[in-house]
């Protein structure tokens, strides 16, 4: 426990990032009222729009703060036309760069449907899944696979003839993320909604790919140390349909990076859309938390997007800091925030446009702040 409090480095980033981060910081302020807050947030500029203005993705202070902070909160990065000379996304330093640079090897994406949240499928709002059937967490490997910067082009004269991305799966990378997922599966008291079983599902394509075979072998080897967790297997294509058809079967899911990227967006539909999807990028000594919807340039500056993904990212951050430092103050505040979010959602009081509502980003924030005030500390 840190008496002096935890330092949080905040990067609002591009587009709608600053709008949702502003609400996230208000929520943190509301939680901290009535005593010295056990955290302190400092904002740093950066991202694609910053790059277009300054020629730099971020400043040296921002980059070093990410290393020294106790936790990191990122809004969103990416802006049309903001591209580095090598063709990469400008602002990548704040997301992919931190994942690589701080070795944030586990990308943890909770997918829980709260009562009162609607789904939007083929243009209509529907109640498709019962809230009690959707409560899973996907753990995505976050440092290797097709994301490893082992790629390039072969050119003849000035013409690209071949483009190559190399899929790298290592023993170390697989083992640590699989272990992380087994620990998480063990720690979730309610197990899968279907039957209460503490289940870990390994999603891969081991009927075809060598890297996936190796990943699954590692899953079985590490899994032998967790006899209390049921081992479950799915090929990624079949998983895509089972996830939608039968989400109650899943408790924790582990996958390699690229497949994890795709199935987490699919899973977000089950929880009401990307407006509710948060992610924690967790390493041994560092962690970064983010809403995963991206900068949404079309909505930038309109105060319209759903801030709940950021609220859930803040909740994940407080829970992680509390667990890491054995600090019950933060664990308690994460639980308090979850109760406030659940209550606001259940009442259907905070619906932004993506939920068929009319509230603005900041009005949704007002409702959550009010709910925090009425939740006991
Ligand atoms: C995510 C995002 C990123 C990824 C992008 C912004 C590079 O889609 O966090 O899922 O592909 O990992
Ligand atoms: Mn993604």
């Amino acid at each position: 426990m840190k008496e002096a409090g935890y330092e949080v480095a905040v990067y609002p980033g591009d587009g709608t990032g600053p709008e949702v981060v502003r609400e996230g910081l208000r929520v943190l302020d509301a939680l901290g009222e009535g005593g010295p807050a056990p955290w302190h947030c400092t904002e740093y500029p950066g991202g694609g729009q910053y790059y277009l203005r300054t020629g730099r993705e971020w400043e040296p202070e921002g980059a070093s703060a990410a290393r020294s902070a106790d936790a990191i909160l990122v809004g969103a990065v990416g802006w049309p036309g903001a591209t580095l000379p090598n063709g990469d996304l400008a602002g990548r330093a704040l997301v992919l760069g931190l994942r690589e640079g701080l070795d944030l090897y586990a990308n943890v994406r909770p997918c829980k449907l709260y009562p009162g949240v609607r789904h939007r499928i083929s243009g209509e709002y529907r109640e498709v899944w019962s809230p009690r059937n959707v409560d899973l967490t996907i753990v995505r490997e976050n440092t290797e696979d097709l994301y490893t910067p082992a790629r390039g082009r072969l050119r003849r004269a000035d013409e690209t003839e071949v483009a190559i991305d190399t899929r790298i799966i290592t023993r170390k990378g697989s083992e640590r993320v699989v272990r992380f997922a087994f620990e998480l599966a063990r720690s979730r008291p309610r197990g899968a909604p279907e039957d209460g079983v503490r289940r870990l599902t390994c999603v891969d394509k081991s009927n075809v790919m060598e890297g996936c075979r190796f990943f699954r072998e590692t899953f079985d080897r590490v899994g032998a140390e967790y006899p209390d967790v049921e081992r479950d297997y799915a090929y990624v294509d079949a998983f895509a349909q089972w996830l939608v058809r039968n989400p109650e079967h899943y408790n924790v899911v582990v996958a390699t990076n690229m497949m994890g990227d795709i199935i987490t967006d699919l899973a977000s539909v089950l929880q009401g859309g990307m407006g509710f999807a948060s992610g924690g990028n967790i390493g041994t000594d560092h962690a970064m938390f983010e809403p995963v919807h991206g900068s949404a340039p079309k909505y930038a500056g309109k105060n319209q997007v759903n801030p709940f993904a950021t609220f859930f990212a803040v909740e994940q951050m407080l829970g992680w800091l509390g667990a890491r430092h054995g600090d019950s103050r933060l664990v308690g505040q994460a639980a308090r925030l979850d109760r406030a979010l659940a209550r606001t959602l259940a009442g259907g009081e905070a619906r932004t446009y993506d939920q068929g509502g009319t509230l603005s980003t900041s009005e949704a924030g007002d409702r959550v702040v009010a709910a925090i005030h009425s939740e006991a500390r």
Side-chain angles (χ1 to χ4, degrees), residues 117-129 268-273 276 299 352-356:
V117 173
R118 295 165 168 168
H119 303 95
R120 190 157 175 209
I121 294 176
S122 50
E124 287 174 36
Y125 295 98
R126 300 185 191 173
E127 316 280 333
V128 187
W129 295 277
S268 82
V269 179
L270 303 170
Q271 65 187 139
F276 295 94
Y299 292 97
T352 41
Y353 81 93
D354 56 313
Q355 284 282 295

Side-chain angles (χ1 to χ4, degrees), residues 77 89 95-96 99 107 109 140 142 147 257 261 264-265 290 292:
V77 294
L89 172 90
V95 175
L96 294 174
R99 290 179 186 169
N107 191 325
R109 304 230 170 150
R140 159 188 174 193
N142 213 23
Y147 280 65
N257 202 346
D261 181 42
T264 48
D265 272 25
E290 48 175 349
V292 298

Side-chain angles (χ1 to χ4, degrees), residues 19-364:
E19 297 167 43
V20 291
V21 163
R22 190 181 311 127
E23 300 311 311
L25 295 178
R26 282 180 65 210
V27 156
L28 276 167
D29 284 346
L31 291 169
E33 277 169 25
W39 52 76
H40 179 260
C41 301
T42 309
E43 290 183 58
Y44 299 93
Q49 290 172 293
Y50 190 76
Y51 178 78
L52 291 178
R53 275 203 311 278
T54 64
R56 293 180 301 278
E57 289 183 274
W58 54 357
E59 296 299 326
E61 305 87 85
S64 65
R67 288 193 172 268
S68 58
D70 294 297
I72 302 165
L73 181 66
V74 172
V77 294
W79 193 252
T83 314
L84 302 177
N86 68 358
D88 279 346
L89 172 90
R92 123 184 246 296
L94 283 72
V95 175
L96 294 174
L98 286 177
R99 290 179 186 169
E100 290 161 11
L102 301 180
D103 204 18
L104 309 177
Y105 64 87
N107 191 325
V108 182
R109 304 230 170 150
C111 173
K112 178 172 171 177
L113 176 59
Y114 283 72
V117 173
R118 295 165 168 168
H119 303 95
R120 190 157 175 209
I121 294 176
S122 50
E124 287 174 36
Y125 295 98
R126 300 185 191 173
E127 316 280 333
V128 187
W129 295 277
S130 154
R132 67 182 146 67
N133 289 345
V134 181
D135 187 2
L136 63 129
T137 295
I138 299 179
V139 178
R140 159 188 174 193
E141 200 290 321
N142 213 23
T143 59
E144 52 185 49
D145 186 1
L146 284 164
Y147 280 65
T148 316
R151 57 175 72 96
R153 287 171 181 235
L154 298 181
R155 293 188 174 82
R156 289 196 186 94
D158 279 337
E159 213 61 75
T160 297
E161 296 292 340
V162 184
I164 307 164
D165 295 283
T166 316
R167 183 161 194 260
I168 291 172
I169 304 291
T170 70
R171 175 185 290 272
K172 176 181 167 184
S174 306
E175 193 168 318
R176 62 189 183 176
V177 78
V178 161
R179 191 173 292 286
F180 185 102
F182 272 107
E183 290 289 335
L184 182 65
R186 171 177 274 180
S187 74
R188 280 170 48 103
R190 283 193 296 275
E194 178 177 75
D195 50 13
V197 170
R198 291 179 191 192
R199 175 176 293 121
L200 178 62
T201 305
C202 181
V203 170
D204 59 49
K205 191 71 186 173
S206 58
N207 51 344
V208 178
M209 291 189 317
E210 200 56 48
C212 283
R213 253 172 240 152
F214 186 40
F215 190 78
R216 193 182 275 210
E217 279 164 30
T218 305
F219 175 81
D220 279 329
R221 179 165 50 78
V222 173
E225 297 170 37
Y226 295 84
D228 50 325
V229 177
E230 183 187 285
R231 268 177 267 164
D232 183 41
Y233 307 86
Y235 298 137
V236 64
D237 48 349
F239 177 77
Q241 54 141 346
W242 290 334
L243 176 67
V244 174
R245 219 173 59 182
N246 198 197
E248 57 272 27
H249 180 67
Y250 299 106
N251 173 38
V252 179
V253 172
V254 66
T256 50
N257 202 346
M258 183 78 247
M259 291 177 191
D261 181 42
I262 298 166
I263 62 176
T264 48
D265 272 25
L266 176 62
S268 82
V269 179
L270 303 170
Q271 65 187 139
M274 293 297 273
F276 295 94
S278 66
N281 300 264
I282 315 282
T284 310
D285 300 317
H286 302 273
M288 182 264 277
F289 300 85
E290 48 175 349
V292 298
H293 47 61
S295 64
K298 211 166 90 186
Y299 292 97
K302 295 190 174 156
N303 192 27
Q304 265 185 19
V305 295
N306 187 344
F308 272 81
T310 303
F311 301 152
F312 285 114
V314 167
E315 180 187 329
Q316 270 189 289
M317 179 177 85
L318 295 176
W320 177 81
L321 275 171
R324 172 169 162 80
H325 297 277
D327 193 333
S328 58
R329 297 175 302 179
L330 279 86
V331 175
Q333 292 287 15
R336 180 175 172 221
L337 175 55
D338 192 69
R339 289 194 303 274
L341 295 174
R343 203 146 53 79
T344 316
L345 292 168
E349 306 155 34
R351 290 190 174 135
T352 41
Y353 81 93
D354 56 313
Q355 284 282 295
T358 53
L359 252 56
S360 66
T361 309
S362 51
E363 286 165 341

